[in-house]
Amino acid sequence: MKSPIQQYLDALHEQLQANTEGTPYQGIPATAVADPQKFGICLATVDGVVYEAGDTDELFSIQSISKPFTYALALEDLGSEAVGQKIDVEPSGDAFNEISLQRGTGRPDNPMINAGAIAAVSLIKSRGPRSRFSRIQDFYSSFAGRDLELSSSVFNGERMTGFRNRALAQLLRSFEIIEDDPDGVVEDYFRQCSIMVNARDLALMAATLANGGVHPREHNQVVEPETVQNVLSVMTTCGMYDDAGSWTTSVGLPAKSGVGGGIIAVLPGQLGIAIYSPPLDAHGSSVRGVETCTRLARDMGLHFMRSGRPGRSSIRSHYTLRDSFSGVRRTTESVEVLEAHADKCVILELGGDLLFAETETVVRTITDEQEDMELLILDLRKVDDFGPVALRMMTQLVSNFEAEGKSICLIDPDGAVTSQLASECSMTIASFPGHPAAMEWAETHILERFAPELVSPQSVDVAATATLEPVSPEDVQKIEELLEDRRYEAGHVIRRIGQPFTGIQFIVSGRVSLTGRATDGSRFRQATLGPGMTFGEIALGASGQQQTTVTALETTKVRVLTHHALEDLEKDHPDTALRLWKAIARDAYTRVEQTMKDNAIRLRG
Amino acid sequence: MKSPIQQYLDALHEQLQANTEGTPYQGIPATAVADPQKFGICLATVDGVVYEAGDTDELFSIQSISKPFTYALALEDLGSEAVGQKIDVEPSGDAFNEISLQRGTGRPDNPMINAGAIAAVSLIKSRGPRSRFSRIQDFYSSFAGRDLELSSSVFNGERMTGFRNRALAQLLRSFEIIEDDPDGVVEDYFRQCSIMVNARDLALMAATLANGGVHPREHNQVVEPETVQNVLSVMTTCGMYDDAGSWTTSVGLPAKSGVGGGIIAVLPGQLGIAIYSPPLDAHGSSVRGVETCTRLARDMGLHFMRSGRPGRSSIRSHYTLRDSFSGVRRTTESVEVLEAHADKCVILELGGDLLFAETETVVRTITDEQEDMELLILDLRKVDDFGPVALRMMTQLVSNFEAEGKSICLIDPDGAVTSQLASECSMTIASFPGHPAAMEWAETHILERFAPELVSPQSVDVAATATLEPVSPEDVQKIEELLEDRRYEAGHVIRRIGQPFTGIQFIVSGRVSLTGRATDGSRFRQATLGPGMTFGEIALGASGQQQTTVTALETTKVRVLTHHALEDLEKDHPDTALRLWKAIARDAYTRVEQTMKDNAIRLRG
């Protein structure tokens, strides 16, 4: 099936190909003869997927698009403070080749004008066998994900015509902004401008910036996230020369153009964009390149100040334990205790990105809770981005809870937030991968607090299981006579997914785990069962198959009503069998009931 | 319980109170005598919640913070093109009161320097009884959500000392940037600078910008979103005068400061920030204000170029109808047809924000599907932001599907995306509020295509219901003798939530809906049942209560096995009753099975 993204890009390319305004850069022979019809658009996502339309294989010189990358290397080498002493980050409002240095200090306004870019080159020092230029070339190559080459014809052109840049280098040397030999620096600047790229290279370089400094295909950290933030900020305010302001208003993406006909734009966290088309506008930027970015920004809503429609509430559900007991079958006595205190356990299901506004809502909801809330469960399964503000606020909240003798627990399948939070708080944070386990934790917590004698009995009589609750003692006695005693050691797999019904197993002592298989084949723990609970009856459904694998977690004693014994009971004591089947049906509908309650919570969000 | 946000703010306020650098603005008497100890911080969220620390009630003159608001009014009145002819949007790199106009045209570089701000005032025309200044005052008041007043002592101070601004106005008039009387314009400029605000007012004004132009408490649209985008872009590049670049790098929030000691910053979609503290730095911005913003940005990760940790995949689950049939009980024949074609229906559960990268993943997953996919269901319940790029790509996708004879349906509870998409595509888009209804749609679709004779039978025999499938014809006959015929007209409520078990109802013809009640009390449709299906048996669970309300959607005939009849059956034909109860238990466990399958899908994501 066709990709709508490819369809869109092809249509855009075809439309903008018709625009023949502008002239290729006449300053050096190599670009002066560039074919004005060449036009390539390339998008690279942070996942490393690349979309291309037109001439994306065509090589051309990187020119000024090199500036943000050399600046990035200087920041990586020296840090932003040292670099800031040599190069400011203020928009100059000047054309790219203006001879404008700050009064007194001679400091260039920013690294995107030639003076600043040349100063940035001078900050890169050779290391071991790698010369300054080799390091620059290696660095660009890491962004592109392939070895980039210098064009000697472009380099010779730059050298023969670059008088203005030589003047700038001398001037920078006179102010001691450049401390090395200015001729050597400006030669390396010409070299870096002469590195040959195609639109695909540039899109991947831009995507590496979009991806916080990690190459989207190679997955290596090319630069630190802090460097990326600095570089993108400067590209936002100074990237498009004297056109930066209207660019920011209309396109709103950090970007950089070069007289070679290239242009890159970055959508942080999302996308790198690159265009190649040689004809330039009065500012020295590719005409089709600017138009492509403008159209993409408008059609795709990419502007960084797009406030968007407000996200859904970060609180997807807000309920108490009463609305969603764990499903662990407990004795009537335990159930009564849990019912009495269920509202002291509050569950908040959070979702989306927890940036400032969302975190504020969550924190306010929690601090507005009743004073008698004792337990708080935060279900983070639908959270996309647990941001720095969420981490900071939750850290404070955990410490407030601790001080008031209350408890917090997380539902956090991969444990990432739990470990961050635990390290911030320097304490252990209760955390579970799934909902039932967290509810079970809450129930245990309440029982321990209000009825410690009821917590995990060592051993329970068959008569006391919830399934047999509606059955009379006389009937239970008849059933008990048919039961078979079994004992499983820890690790023993008692029942497997797909096996047929062979009986109902009553747990007398010990614990078993039920694990299911997700549609992708992965396994997940569904529940832990203990004394007084049953398993095996699920296979009574239409498929006739066991739906979970049951494994003994410790030495476990069970009493089994095998399907043969059940048949015997039906034959010998049909009245008892009838009442047993009614009890089984009731038990099954109790589970259906529980599911419907859970759905009710889910549907609230 | 204490709010961690308030705790953070109080601590920050206390720390920064200690910084006594800077001097209040000495240019006019009213600000020269401001108490340098005064210090207030206010945060206002887009939900209208306000957090305050320190002197947030203290009134002071708005001064240059007025500039973005008057510029916004000019944009609203005239549009960005007409305004752009008078005022550019380029950073000037100059100090706020520099006399710098563009060569030739005399156009000010941007509306945040005095020249541009005075030009913006001149673009506001009186309307009916409202003078230019009244309109400006009204406009600011709408942003603040209360009537703001002018201070005549500040105004007189401005008038007596504003020679430079008078010169700028005359100069602008000479270039015909100002077309009115320049003295009147500059007087109104002095007036707008003299409007008195406190930090809370400014925070709400900033929050209105953050909220796409809608006041977070009054909920009225004060300005259009496009105006907000333009204003915030200019604030980003030009808001902090000659300090804009380093501000962008370190704070990365669109902002504006005023010599009155105020400063605002905007986190789009999230938050308005305002600080009042009179001592100014060399750039004319509040020292404590700048420091507060820097700290907030760092501590809370507010920088606009923060690429963040990549969100979770936008595809939360990916499965076929085989993994999640609707739960509608169908005849064996229908089930066989559905099983045979179930993989032709693909369900994608999407989540989070569908911006470019996420939309790209979704679209690629769909276009990579097997050629024999016939139906696609997009579950949008967990989507937070269905952005412009998602809308555009989905529009194209719907048309591609249409062209290939395939169908798309949405699970879209509030129908918002459906109606946007339908209007873009100019066609009807199938859409359902919940999962079971969408699955039912898919099943009907498959049956209609591959076994049209099985689709919604007019009337079904009790013997053919799924519940009685395992029961022998002889037993069914005995049961049928006990059944009571009933007929309900459309709209009749047959069973209500909470009612006890009174029998099992077999639908012979017609349709009923089951509605549940969510934990917040709202109702939701759970399923639609038709001929061959049963209801009422849910109340057999431990609670003994009906869990859904059952309403006839059309004239519906049922045959009921009342609980009295069931007791009679148990007495008169215990063997039949036993087999019936086994069938009921099987039916219940079939539902439990279905739930476990659904959980397996959910746990995959």
Side-chain angles (χ1 to χ4, degrees):
Chain A
M1 191 180 272
K2 275 182 245 160
S3 162
I5 294 176
Q6 190 62 51
Q7 286 174 296
Y8 168 81
L9 215 57
D10 290 340
L12 186 66
H13 183 271
E14 194 187 324
Q15 269 176 47
L16 301 188
Q17 180 78 61
N19 184 343
T20 57
E21 281 170 42
T23 315
Y25 182 60
Q26 298 299 308
I28 58 168
T31 59
V33 299
D35 180 355
Q37 282 302 99
K38 293 287 178 194
F39 178 27
I41 310 176
C42 183
L43 309 182
T45 72
V46 292
D47 294 336
V49 181
V50 168
Y51 293 89
E52 304 178 68
D55 308 306
T56 52
D57 281 328
E58 192 78 12
L59 287 169
F60 54 94
S61 53
I62 189 169
Q63 299 292 350
S64 290
I65 305 173
S66 65
K67 291 169 178 173
F69 297 98
T70 297
Y71 182 58
L73 181 54
L75 289 170
E76 292 274 298
D77 277 4
L78 303 171
S80 62
E81 202 171 326
V83 173
Q85 282 166 12
K86 296 291 190 179
I87 311 163
D88 206 351
V89 289
E90 296 303 327
S92 68
D94 293 328
F96 69 97
N97 58 357
E98 195 80 6
I99 300 204
S100 59
L101 303 177
Q102 289 175 1
R103 253 176 284 178
T105 61
R107 187 168 64 150
D109 276 334
N110 66 67
M112 300 295 126
I113 54 173
N114 287 10
I118 293 167
V121 172
S122 80
L123 297 177
I124 313 301
K125 307 297 176 195
S126 60
R127 278 194 188 168
R130 305 303 287 164
S131 67
R132 169 162 51 211
F133 175 67
S134 307
R135 290 194 61 223
I136 290 174
Q137 191 175 17
D138 290 350
F139 192 64
Y140 294 6
S141 298
S142 320
F143 273 96
R146 72 170 186 97
D147 288 338
L148 301 177
E149 303 291 342
L150 172 132
S151 155
S152 41
S153 75
V154 175
F155 175 53
N156 286 329
E158 300 285 349
R159 289 180 79 182
M160 306 216 318
T161 60
F163 308 113
R164 204 178 178 101
N165 287 325
R166 288 186 201 277
L168 272 174
Q170 299 295 339
L171 209 56
L172 288 165
R173 181 68 187 82
S174 79
F175 280 106
E176 293 184 352
I177 293 294
I178 293 184
E179 294 172 6
D180 289 354
D181 165 37
D183 285 327
V185 170
V186 82
E187 290 278 306
D188 280 342
Y189 176 67
F190 293 149
R191 282 191 185 93
Q192 85 174 32
C193 290
S194 308
I195 285 177
M196 300 301 279
V197 290
N198 60 32
R200 196 184 314 108
D201 295 327
L202 287 182
L204 284 164
M205 292 172 85
T208 302
L209 292 174
N211 198 29
V214 174
H215 194 282
R217 291 188 154 181
E218 309 293 330
H219 307 294
N220 57 322
Q221 188 88 41
V222 179
V223 276
E224 291 306 309
E226 202 191 318
T227 299
V228 171
Q229 178 173 313
N230 286 326
V231 170
L232 292 180
S233 295
V234 173
M235 283 169 72
T236 303
T237 48
C238 319
M240 297 304 281
Y241 305 123
D242 43 344
D243 199 26
S246 68
W247 176 271
T248 306
T249 309
S250 63
V251 181
L253 292 175
K256 190 74 202 81
S257 62
V259 292
I263 186 163
I264 61 170
V266 177
L267 182 61
Q270 299 268 318
L271 185 67
I273 299 169
I275 300 105
Y276 169 58
S277 167
L280 308 182
D281 64 19
H283 299 290
S285 297
S286 165
V287 172
R288 291 194 191 101
V290 170
E291 217 180 325
T292 304
C293 290
T294 308
R295 281 288 301 277
L296 278 169
R298 201 183 64 199
D299 295 346
M300 305 290 203
L302 307 184
H303 194 285
F304 73 113
M305 282 300 150
R306 190 185 78 90
S307 68
R309 91 172 180 199
R312 269 198 243 161
S313 166
S314 45
I315 298 178
R316 299 293 159 84
S317 291
H318 182 179
Y319 55 98
T320 73
L321 182 59
R322 185 177 307 288
D323 300 308
S324 178
F325 287 108
S326 69
V328 168
R329 307 298 309 277
R330 298 185 189 274
T331 58
T332 311
E333 226 178 337
S334 300
V335 169
E336 277 166 12
V337 173
L338 291 176
E339 292 270 3
H341 301 282
D343 293 335
K344 297 192 173 94
C345 172
V346 172
I347 300 107
L348 290 181
E349 182 185 310
L350 310 183
D353 293 334
L354 295 184
L355 306 181
F356 188 88
E358 298 83 5
T359 303
E360 189 276 328
T361 308
V362 172
V363 161
R364 183 158 38 82
T365 305
I366 295 168
T367 52
D368 285 354
E369 275 295 332
Q370 301 291 331
E371 274 306 311
D372 68 353
M373 172 181 68
E374 299 244 340
L375 302 175
L376 174 69
I377 297 177
L378 294 177
D379 184 346
L380 305 180
R381 287 175 295 172
K382 293 180 189 162
V383 170
D384 294 313
D385 186 359
F386 195 89
V389 57
L391 186 61
R392 178 173 278 269
M393 290 301 128
M394 284 308 305
T395 304
Q396 179 68 54
L397 206 65
V398 167
S399 114
N400 292 357
F401 263 62
E402 178 84 354
E404 300 195 18
K406 300 177 192 290
S407 301
I408 283 191
C409 132
L410 307 179
I411 303 178
D412 178 24
D414 65 5
V417 171
T418 308
S419 67
Q420 272 185 295
L421 200 56
S423 106
E424 288 288 327
C425 302
S426 315
M427 58 183 280
T428 315
I429 309 281
S431 172
F432 298 95
H435 187 268
M439 298 303 123
E440 208 180 317
W441 170 86
E443 291 169 7
T444 307
H445 214 99
I446 289 177
L447 288 175
E448 274 172 356
R449 171 103 194 228
F450 298 102
E453 71 283 4
L454 299 177
V455 182
S456 39
Q458 286 302 301
S459 156
V460 162
D461 231 28
V462 166
T465 58
T467 313
L468 295 183
E469 213 171 65
V471 181
S472 71
E474 297 75 36
D475 282 338
V476 169
Q477 207 184 326
K478 289 199 187 95
I479 294 164
E480 280 203 272
E481 282 164 16
L482 296 167
L483 297 181
E484 229 175 62
D485 286 329
R486 289 188 198 161
R487 178 193 160 101
Y488 306 109
E489 297 308 324
H492 184 86
V493 177
I494 308 170
R495 302 292 299 147
R496 281 185 198 280
I497 291 176
Q499 289 182 333
F501 176 70
T502 55
I504 303 175
Q505 312 213 19
F506 299 85
I507 304 176
V508 176
S509 67
R511 295 171 75 78
V512 302
S513 77
L514 307 190
T515 49
R517 199 186 287 138
T519 44
D520 63 352
S522 67
R523 292 176 172 282
F524 57 92
R525 178 175 293 201
Q526 205 150 42
T528 307
L529 306 184
M533 304 176 200
T534 57
F535 60 89
E537 62 274 41
I538 277 278
L540 289 170
S543 80
Q545 295 185 339
Q546 186 70 27
Q547 301 293 309
T548 52
T549 292
V550 184
T551 312
L553 292 173
E554 54 193 69
T555 301
T556 300
K557 289 187 187 164
V558 300
R559 306 196 70 190
V560 188
L561 181 67
T562 65
H563 60 300
H564 298 301
L566 195 52
E567 279 167 18
D568 289 344
L569 185 74
E570 287 172 11
K571 223 178 311 161
D572 303 339
H573 305 285
D575 291 358
T576 301
L578 174 67
R579 290 188 286 269
L580 175 61
W581 274 109
K582 284 177 77 163
I584 293 171
R586 175 180 185 268
D587 204 36
Y589 273 111
T590 306
R591 292 178 196 225
V592 174
E593 237 176 45
Q594 180 65 35
T595 307
M596 295 180 89
K597 277 193 186 170
D598 285 349
N599 278 340
I601 292 164
R602 214 167 299 124
L603 276 149
R604 190 194 184 183
Chain B
M1 191 179 273
K2 275 182 246 160
S3 161
I5 295 176
Q6 190 63 50
Q7 286 173 295
Y8 168 81
L9 215 57
D10 290 341
L12 185 67
H13 183 270
E14 193 186 326
Q15 270 176 47
L16 301 188
Q17 181 76 62
N19 184 344
T20 56
E21 282 169 41
T23 315
Y25 182 59
Q26 299 298 309
I28 58 168
T31 59
V33 299
D35 181 353
Q37 282 302 100
K38 293 287 180 195
F39 178 28
I41 309 177
C42 185
L43 308 183
T45 72
V46 292
D47 294 336
V49 180
V50 168
Y51 293 88
E52 303 177 69
D55 308 306
T56 52
D57 281 329
E58 191 77 12
L59 288 169
F60 55 94
S61 52
I62 190 169
Q63 298 292 349
S64 289
I65 305 173
S66 64
K67 291 169 178 174
F69 297 98
T70 298
Y71 181 59
L73 182 53
L75 288 171
E76 292 275 299
D77 277 5
L78 302 171
S80 63
E81 203 172 326
V83 172
Q85 282 165 11
K86 297 291 190 182
I87 310 163
D88 206 349
V89 288
E90 296 303 327
S92 68
D94 294 328
F96 68 95
N97 58 357
E98 195 80 6
I99 301 204
S100 59
L101 304 176
Q102 288 175 359
R103 253 175 283 177
T105 61
R107 187 168 65 151
D109 275 333
N110 66 67
M112 300 294 126
I113 55 173
N114 287 9
I118 293 167
V121 171
S122 80
L123 296 177
I124 314 300
K125 308 296 175 197
S126 60
R127 279 194 186 167
R130 306 304 285 164
S131 68
R132 169 162 51 212
F133 176 68
S134 307
R135 290 193 61 222
I136 290 172
Q137 191 174 17
D138 291 350
F139 192 64
Y140 294 6
S141 297
S142 320
F143 272 95
R146 73 170 186 97
D147 287 338
L148 301 177
E149 303 291 342
L150 172 130
S151 155
S152 41
S153 75
V154 175
F155 175 53
N156 287 331
E158 299 285 348
R159 288 181 80 183
M160 306 218 318
T161 60
F163 308 113
R164 204 176 178 98
N165 287 325
R166 288 187 201 278
L168 273 173
Q170 299 295 338
L171 209 56
L172 288 165
R173 180 70 187 82
S174 78
F175 281 106
E176 294 188 349
I177 294 293
I178 294 185
E179 294 172 7
D180 289 356
D181 166 36
D183 285 327
V185 170
V186 82
E187 289 278 307
D188 280 343
Y189 177 67
F190 293 149
R191 281 192 185 91
Q192 86 173 32
C193 290
S194 308
I195 286 177
M196 300 300 278
V197 290
N198 60 32
R200 196 183 314 107
D201 295 327
L202 287 182
L204 284 165
M205 292 172 84
T208 301
L209 291 175
N211 199 28
V214 174
H215 194 282
R217 289 189 156 182
E218 309 293 330
H219 306 295
N220 56 324
Q221 186 90 40
V222 179
V223 275
E224 292 304 312
E226 202 191 317
T227 298
V228 171
Q229 177 174 313
N230 286 327
V231 169
L232 292 180
S233 295
V234 173
M235 284 168 71
T236 303
T237 49
C238 320
M240 297 302 282
Y241 306 124
D242 44 345
D243 200 26
S246 69
W247 176 270
T248 307
T249 308
S250 64
V251 181
L253 292 175
K256 189 74 202 82
S257 61
V259 293
I263 187 163
I264 62 169
V266 178
L267 182 61
Q270 299 268 319
L271 185 68
I273 299 169
I275 300 106
Y276 170 58
S277 168
L280 308 182
D281 63 19
H283 300 289
S285 299
S286 165
V287 172
R288 291 194 191 102
V290 170
E291 218 181 324
T292 304
C293 290
T294 308
R295 282 289 302 276
L296 277 169
R298 202 184 62 198
D299 295 346
M300 304 291 203
L302 308 184
H303 195 285
F304 73 113
M305 283 298 150
R306 189 186 77 91
S307 70
R309 94 172 178 197
R312 269 198 244 164
S313 167
S314 44
I315 298 177
R316 298 293 159 83
S317 291
H318 182 180
Y319 55 97
T320 74
L321 180 59
R322 185 177 308 287
D323 300 308
S324 178
F325 287 108
S326 70
V328 168
R329 307 299 311 276
R330 299 185 189 273
T331 57
T332 311
E333 226 178 335
S334 300
V335 168
E336 276 165 11
V337 173
L338 292 177
E339 292 270 2
H341 301 282
D343 292 335
K344 296 191 174 98
C345 172
V346 173
I347 300 108
L348 290 181
E349 183 185 310
L350 310 182
D353 294 333
L354 295 184
L355 306 181
F356 187 88
E358 297 83 5
T359 303
E360 189 275 330
T361 307
V362 172
V363 161
R364 184 158 38 83
T365 306
I366 295 169
T367 52
D368 285 353
E369 275 294 331
Q370 301 291 332
E371 274 307 311
D372 68 352
M373 172 181 69
E374 299 243 341
L375 303 175
L376 174 69
I377 297 177
L378 293 177
D379 183 346
L380 305 179
R381 287 176 295 173
K382 292 181 189 163
V383 170
D384 294 313
D385 185 0
F386 195 89
V389 56
L391 187 61
R392 179 173 278 267
M393 291 300 127
M394 284 307 305
T395 304
Q396 179 68 54
L397 207 64
V398 167
S399 114
N400 292 357
F401 264 62
E402 178 84 353
E404 301 195 15
K406 301 178 192 292
S407 301
I408 283 190
C409 133
L410 307 179
I411 302 178
D412 178 23
D414 65 6
V417 171
T418 308
S419 67
Q420 272 185 293
L421 200 56
S423 105
E424 288 288 326
C425 302
S426 315
M427 57 184 279
T428 315
I429 309 282
S431 172
F432 299 94
H435 187 268
M439 298 303 121
E440 205 180 320
W441 170 86
E443 291 170 6
T444 307
H445 215 99
I446 289 176
L447 289 175
E448 274 172 356
R449 173 102 193 230
F450 299 100
E453 71 284 3
L454 298 177
V455 183
S456 37
Q458 286 302 302
S459 156
V460 162
D461 231 28
V462 165
T465 59
T467 313
L468 295 183
E469 214 171 63
V471 181
S472 71
E474 298 74 37
D475 283 339
V476 170
Q477 206 183 326
K478 291 200 186 92
I479 294 164
E480 282 204 271
E481 281 163 16
L482 295 166
L483 298 181
E484 229 175 60
D485 286 328
R486 289 189 199 159
R487 180 192 159 100
Y488 306 110
E489 296 308 323
H492 184 86
V493 177
I494 306 169
R495 303 291 301 147
R496 281 186 197 282
I497 291 175
Q499 288 181 335
F501 176 71
T502 55
I504 302 174
Q505 312 212 17
F506 299 85
I507 304 176
V508 175
S509 67
R511 293 170 77 78
V512 302
S513 77
L514 306 190
T515 49
R517 199 186 287 136
T519 44
D520 63 351
S522 67
R523 291 176 172 282
F524 56 92
R525 178 176 291 203
Q526 207 150 40
T528 306
L529 305 184
M533 305 175 200
T534 56
F535 59 89
E537 63 275 39
I538 276 279
L540 288 169
S543 79
Q545 295 185 338
Q546 186 71 28
Q547 301 292 310
T548 52
T549 291
V550 184
T551 311
L553 292 173
E554 55 193 70
T555 301
T556 300
K557 288 187 187 163
V558 300
R559 306 198 67 190
V560 188
L561 180 67
T562 66
H563 59 302
H564 298 300
L566 195 50
E567 280 165 18
D568 290 345
L569 185 73
E570 287 172 10
K571 222 178 314 161
D572 303 339
H573 305 285
D575 291 358
T576 301
L578 174 68
R579 289 187 287 268
L580 175 61
W581 274 109
K582 284 178 76 164
I584 293 171
R586 175 181 184 269
D587 204 36
Y589 273 110
T590 306
R591 293 179 196 223
V592 174
E593 237 176 45
Q594 180 66 36
T595 308
M596 295 180 90
K597 277 192 186 172
D598 285 349
N599 279 339
I601 293 164
R602 214 167 299 122
L603 276 148
R604 191 196 182 180

